[in-house]
Amino acid sequence: MAFMETLLSLISLLSSALLLHAVVEGPKPITLSLIHPFSPHSPFYPGNITDMEKINILIQGTYARMHHLFSTMRERNWNDSSEVDNIVATVQYTGFYFVAQVGIGSFPSFFGQKGMPYLLMIDTGSQITWVQCEDCDPCFPLQQLNFPYRRSQSYKSIPCGDPTCPTPNQDCFKSFCGFRIRYGEDPSASTAGAIVRETLTFPSDFGGTESYNDLFLGCGFKSYHYEFRQSNKIGGILGLGFRGTRTLSFLNQVGKKRFSYCLSNSEHTNSQLYIGGAMMVGPQVLSTPLLRGSIEGLYYVDLQDISIQNIRLRLQGSFSGGSAIDSGCPMTFLLPNIYARVRIGFVQYFAQFHIQPYDSGSRPRDLPWLDLCFPNPSGFDRYPTMTFHFRGADLVVQPTGIFLAGRNYICVVLKSSPVTMIGAFQQTQHKFSYDFELGDGSRGEIGALRFAPQDCGSPA
């Protein structure tokens, strides 16, 4: 099985750039093209790096994502001061996020276009959409102008305490409706600023544009501890977190009740993300409820068991705290007791072929930073599938979504963690739809996750 080229192409899917490709008119969806992070077309393109560096970037990105999620869970309350110099706050330039090109504001007489184009990171764990604005101090480096809000004809400020302000009064920025958000830890990055009303514009395949007026937008004026390079092209965040009933939610503001994506397994192809659109249907489409969980903004599913090559591990009742599914997390984390059982399952599977895992004494120095790795015998191609058994639906992950392989080794792409989270590596070659028109609210369901296997991608 020719793993190396295929598997390495999956690494760091979260640094893919979602360069806006088509747009909605009326009920049609916003359609975004997903560009692989290792494609020269991506703003996260790392240049000529080795295969091992690519693999370890995947792992580093997963830890960065987990640090961000834990910090948002712990740091619910900021102090009431309008200044945030004492706040530790970061989104690192690790390239583990999707990016959408969005036009912001209205500048017909200045720039010959309705909105200035900015690349915004997609975050399925955040409801706040924001961009760095002029007059920021301190600022993170940005290749283009910080958003010149004063010159935008559609810019509208919101006073602190105004009944239309979607954030608490303690988050006010000086005399304006405000926001404060942090990412990561030790030190974490943070941004604070004003919530304003603005116009977001998406280019159309047909040469026109589609605009959404008077949307809530965060205007970032204070940013700390961002480790972006001077060549940074990323201007802020596009929040696609749990919509709930909050008016701040981007999905609620644009009137969309579902979004979907399909993650490509090749840096040479583009795949798609849709905001809106029709319900996902078809003979292969499966559905499981979306649930609320312990980390605000994330989407949770009822994971009941796991199989290795159709052999159930009998893990029922082990998934305390729920199981999140997050396209912003590069790889999957499992609770320690679950990870231990899954590890044993893989060891037992390979043992029937007389393949034993590396231990601390036999482990080669050039292996990735993964716990479970095996020698990869020449010609061996009987790699197992891994199935996540959700309530009412089974997600069957093929070997290309489980293993990273080198010339002489193969490693299982899973990690032990205090939470269970299904990451992007295990989601490749499936289309996923987060549908909020479905679900039984009386049972705590916020929607339905629908999915089906699909060849994600078209030539880049």
Side-chain angles (χ1 to χ4, degrees), residues 270-303:
N270 291 345
S271 54
Q272 303 294 324
L273 179 142
Y274 305 91
I275 302 174
M279 181 184 297
M280 183 176 169
V281 296
Q284 291 185 295
V285 175
L286 302 175
S287 181
T288 189
L290 283 171
L291 309 170
R292 293 178 183 270
S294 57
I295 301 178
E296 184 180 3
L298 277 182
Y299 302 100
Y300 283 74
V301 290
D302 182 8
L303 178 58

Side-chain angles (χ1 to χ4, degrees), residues 42-247:
S42 169
F44 292 110
Y45 179 57
N48 187 21
I49 62 176
T50 67
D51 291 342
M52 190 59 61
E53 286 173 320
K54 292 178 182 179
I55 293 171
N56 288 332
I57 281 174
L58 166 72
I59 301 167
Q60 291 170 347
T62 302
Y63 281 124
R65 179 62 171 176
M66 294 303 294
H67 288 164
H68 160 51
L69 294 173
F70 277 121
S71 70
T72 58
M73 188 164 56
R74 289 194 301 262
E75 305 293 345
R76 297 295 188 199
N77 299 314
W78 297 50
N79 67 38
D80 292 339
S81 169
S82 62
E83 299 298 324
V84 293
D85 298 80
N86 60 332
I87 294 177
V88 193
T90 288
V91 174
Q92 295 184 345
Y93 188 84
T94 48
F96 306 109
Y97 301 88
F98 301 119
V99 180
Q101 182 174 295
V102 179
I104 302 178
S106 301
F107 304 92
S109 60
F110 290 95
F111 303 102
Q113 59 191 35
K114 176 138 189 180
M116 286 190 67
Y118 287 89
L119 290 176
L120 304 182
M121 289 183 180
I122 297 294
D123 188 353
T124 57
S126 173
Q127 292 184 353
I128 295 179
T129 296
W130 62 270
V131 67
Q132 182 164 267
C133 290
E134 66 180 5
D135 301 329
C136 57
D137 182 23
C139 319
F140 56 74
L142 185 59
Q143 265 193 356
Q144 66 188 101
L145 289 173
N146 293 311
F147 178 60
Y149 64 96
R150 287 193 181 91
R151 286 178 279 175
S152 172
Q153 296 179 1
S154 50
Y155 169 86
K156 299 174 184 175
S157 63
I158 304 173
C160 177
D162 189 282
T164 66
C165 177
T167 56
N169 285 348
Q170 62 261 33
D171 284 344
C172 283
F173 185 82
K174 299 182 179 178
S175 61
F176 299 101
C177 175
F179 75 101
R180 306 178 183 192
I181 192 166
R182 72 177 69 211
Y183 308 88
E185 60 180 22
D186 299 329
S188 58
S190 66
T191 290
I195 296 287
V196 304
R197 294 272 193 178
E198 255 300 0
T199 295
L200 299 187
T201 301
F202 303 92
S204 168
D205 273 347
F206 306 103
T209 59
E210 182 73 17
S211 296
Y212 294 87
N213 300 319
D214 290 326
L215 298 184
F216 290 121
L217 175 74
C219 208
F221 290 116
K222 287 184 176 290
S223 292
Y224 297 89
H225 303 296
Y226 286 83
E227 296 184 3
F228 290 120
R229 302 169 185 171
Q230 290 299 319
S231 59
N232 170 50
K233 301 178 183 179
I234 309 306
I237 296 289
L238 177 61
L240 287 178
F242 171 52
R243 63 199 297 271
T245 58
R246 294 187 64 183
T247 55

